[in-house]
């Protein structure tokens, strides 16, 4: 496969000095490839979404995702190289998401990256997907270690003290659901389709955040753990009540479109998002206190992961964080969701420290960022 796809690219004639790394990301439902330089230049960043393939099922189907990665990864990598105007011979290393994620997709990416590294005799770097999110701000902003990280996405929700590349201390995390998952489940309850989180945020803009009073999970509780299953259940109860009022008798988990008045849907979205923000702000205050005790010189609060694209949550957190003398830093929205530029950059950070992997690396469905 490498012979037929990649060797057609001729080495670039550009007189370049920067190191270049190809990044590959296939951990969920985006097939992505990017080329990034050690000068913090994103030379290309191609992301192919699989939303259309998964939409009929109301969520990501692992088997469908893996097949789609296999079908599209060659074209995506080829496009990334063409956009960057480089060939494989120009690369200094190949980085790929080694986990965590849907194991079928992770395997596809890792096997292709190994093939390129082997044929082209380039260093191979297996990147923890979460580390990709964690280090993105060092690609887009001047952020020094240590910093406090809130990593919040569809599958993860945790506070980490980031001391250095590869050195993370977990301060707290969700005891049940991730916030991104809660956003997606609320969207599904309301029949909003995919992607769920952005739809909830959009509709919440025109809703009343105080229309429904949902419980704020763990508010005031010691530590900085999260819990969102209770909030999700509370929303489900309200949706069930409103559905009955609207004359709908079908179960919430049916595939039918939910027929609620637009204003009702907007108000539910706004009230849910407001409550989620209340939880994040409360937990963030606790996390900051814990972080500042051990890292008094740390000045940055980094927000990363897919949910970091939510502008309402960013705004609410920024207000709280400023009260503690810290600055909120988050990547551009397009780099919050899964992409390969973050994998290439995390690979670059590791490569410059001499942290490379052997071709015997095994893809991982689970891979905690902290020890």
């Amino acid at each position: 496969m490498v012979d037929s796809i990649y060797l057609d690219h001729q080495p670039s004639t550009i007189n370049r000095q920067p190191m270049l790394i190809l990044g590959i990301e296939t951990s969920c439902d985006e097939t992505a490839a990017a080329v990034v330089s050690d000068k913090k230049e994103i030379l290309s960043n191609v992301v192919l979404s699989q939303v259309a393939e998964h939409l009929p099922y109301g969520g990501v189907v692992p088997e469908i995702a893996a097949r789609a990665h296999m079908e599209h990864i060659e074209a995506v990598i080829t496009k990334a190289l063409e956009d960057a105007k480089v060939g494989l011979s120009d690369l200094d290393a190949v980085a790929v998401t080694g986990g965590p994620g849907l194991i079928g997709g992770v395997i596809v990416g890792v096997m292709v990256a190994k093939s390129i590294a082997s044929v082209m005799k380039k260093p191979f770097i297996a990147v923890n997907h979460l580390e990709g999110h964690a280090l993105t701000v060092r690609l887009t902003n001047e952020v020094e270690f240590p910093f406090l990280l809130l990593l919040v996405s569809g599958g993860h929700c945790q506070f980490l003290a980031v001391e250095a590349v590869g050195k993370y201390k977990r301060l707290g995390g969700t005891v049940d659901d991730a916030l991104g998952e809660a956003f997606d489940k609320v969207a599904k309850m309301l029949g909003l389709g995919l992607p769920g989180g952005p739809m909830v945020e959009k509709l919440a803009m025109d809703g009343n955040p105080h229309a429904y009073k949902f419980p704020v999970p763990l508010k005031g509780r010691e530590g900085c753990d999260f819990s969102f299953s209770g909030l999700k259940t509370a929303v489900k109860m309200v949706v069930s009540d409103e559905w009955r009022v609207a004359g709908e008798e079908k179960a919430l988990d049916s595939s039918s479109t939910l027929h609620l008045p637009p204003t009702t849907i907007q108000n539910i979205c706004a009230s849910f998002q407001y409550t989620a923000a209340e939880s994040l702000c409360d937990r963030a205050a606790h996390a900051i206190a814990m972080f500042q005790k051990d890292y008094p010189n740390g000045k940055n609060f980094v927000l990363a992961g897919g949910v970091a694209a939510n502008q309402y949550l960013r705004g609410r957190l920024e207000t709280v964080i400023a009260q503690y003398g810290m600055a909120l830093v988050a990547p551009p929205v397009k780099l919050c969701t899964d992409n390969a530029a973050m994998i290439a950059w995390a690979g670059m950070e590791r490569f410059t420290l001499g942290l490379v992997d052997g071709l015997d690396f095994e893809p991982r469905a689970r891979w905690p960022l902290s020890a």
Side-chain angles (χ1 to χ4, degrees):
M1 182 174 69
V2 175
D3 288 341
S4 62
I5 309 167
Y6 311 110
L7 297 186
D8 288 339
H9 289 275
Q10 297 299 315
S12 172
T13 58
I14 299 174
N15 182 20
R16 64 171 180 83
Q17 293 300 321
M19 290 192 298
L20 301 177
I21 288 187
L22 169 69
I24 299 171
E25 156 62 21
T26 57
S27 67
C28 192
D29 60 336
E30 285 92 9
T31 308
V35 177
V36 170
S37 81
D38 62 342
K39 302 298 184 182
K40 298 189 175 183
E41 300 169 311
I42 301 176
L43 302 182
S44 65
N45 190 24
V46 180
V47 180
L48 180 65
S49 174
Q50 299 176 6
V51 169
E53 286 92 334
H54 300 285
L55 189 59
Y57 306 96
V60 178
V61 181
E63 293 79 6
I64 292 176
R67 286 199 297 270
H69 288 310
M70 291 182 66
E71 291 173 6
H72 300 297
I73 192 167
E74 298 179 9
V76 168
I77 294 175
T78 297
K79 182 70 162 63
L81 293 170
E82 290 175 345
D83 287 354
K85 296 181 173 59
V86 299
L88 290 177
S89 297
D90 294 312
L91 301 175
D92 291 278
V94 181
V96 63
T97 297
L102 302 178
I103 193 60
V106 175
I107 289 173
V108 171
V110 169
M111 293 302 101
V112 171
K114 285 182 178 181
S115 297
I116 297 173
S118 177
V119 171
M120 300 304 299
K121 295 180 171 51
K122 302 290 183 180
F124 168 81
I125 305 164
V127 173
N128 185 312
H129 179 83
L130 306 183
E131 185 165 51
H133 281 301
L135 298 179
T136 301
V137 290
R138 286 172 52 81
L139 168 62
T140 59
N141 301 81
E142 296 299 324
V143 176
E144 300 295 330
F145 300 117
F147 59 83
L148 176 60
L149 170 67
L150 171 53
L151 179 56
V152 57
S153 66
H156 305 277
C157 194
Q158 54 189 303
F159 282 109
L160 296 144
V162 182
E163 300 176 348
V165 175
K167 193 172 183 181
Y168 304 87
K169 180 180 178 182
R170 188 176 187 273
L171 304 180
T174 183
V175 298
D176 40 57
D177 300 331
L179 181 55
E181 178 187 356
F183 265 88
D184 288 341
K185 290 295 177 59
V186 169
K188 188 173 183 179
M189 293 176 201
L190 295 171
L192 302 182
L194 297 174
M199 289 298 297
V200 171
E201 179 186 8
K202 180 179 179 180
L203 291 171
M205 292 175 63
D206 296 317
N208 176 5
H210 305 293
Y212 302 95
K213 187 173 179 58
F214 296 125
V216 180
L218 303 183
K219 185 172 184 178
R221 195 79 59 89
E222 184 178 353
C224 57
D225 283 338
F226 297 95
S227 173
F228 294 106
S229 63
L231 173 58
K232 189 174 64 178
T233 299
V235 174
K236 184 175 183 178
M237 293 174 64
V238 166
V239 174
S240 297
D241 290 343
E242 293 291 352
W243 206 353
R244 282 192 288 270
V245 170
E248 296 283 347
E249 301 297 332
K250 296 177 182 178
L252 275 177
D253 58 357
S254 77
S255 59
S256 302
T257 300
L258 184 61
H259 299 289
L260 288 179
T263 300
T264 299
I265 294 177
Q266 291 167 350
N267 287 343
I268 291 173
C269 289
S271 298
F272 162 73
Q273 184 172 253
Y274 170 82
T275 306
E278 287 285 291
S279 177
L280 285 183
C281 290
D282 176 75
R283 302 288 81 197
H286 286 250
I288 291 171
M290 295 169 66
F291 177 78
Q292 291 182 330
K293 181 180 178 181
D294 294 332
Y295 309 92
N297 295 325
K299 301 300 181 184
N300 290 309
F301 183 111
V302 172
L303 181 63
V307 181
N310 185 301
Q311 296 301 299
Y312 175 79
L313 297 181
R314 282 198 194 198
R316 291 288 306 275
L317 280 170
E318 189 169 21
T319 300
V320 172
I321 292 164
Q323 297 173 4
Y324 292 86
M326 298 187 76
L328 175 66
V329 186
V333 170
K334 66 180 180 180
L335 295 182
C336 289
T337 52
D338 290 351
N339 65 89
M342 72 179 193
I343 301 304
W345 178 252
M348 184 68 75
E349 293 256 33
R350 299 186 69 82
F351 184 59
T352 56
L353 295 173
L355 302 175
V356 298
D357 297 276
L359 295 181
D360 59 348
F361 173 85
E362 295 184 2
R364 307 174 187 181
R366 298 183 180 276
W367 190 359
L369 191 55
S370 58

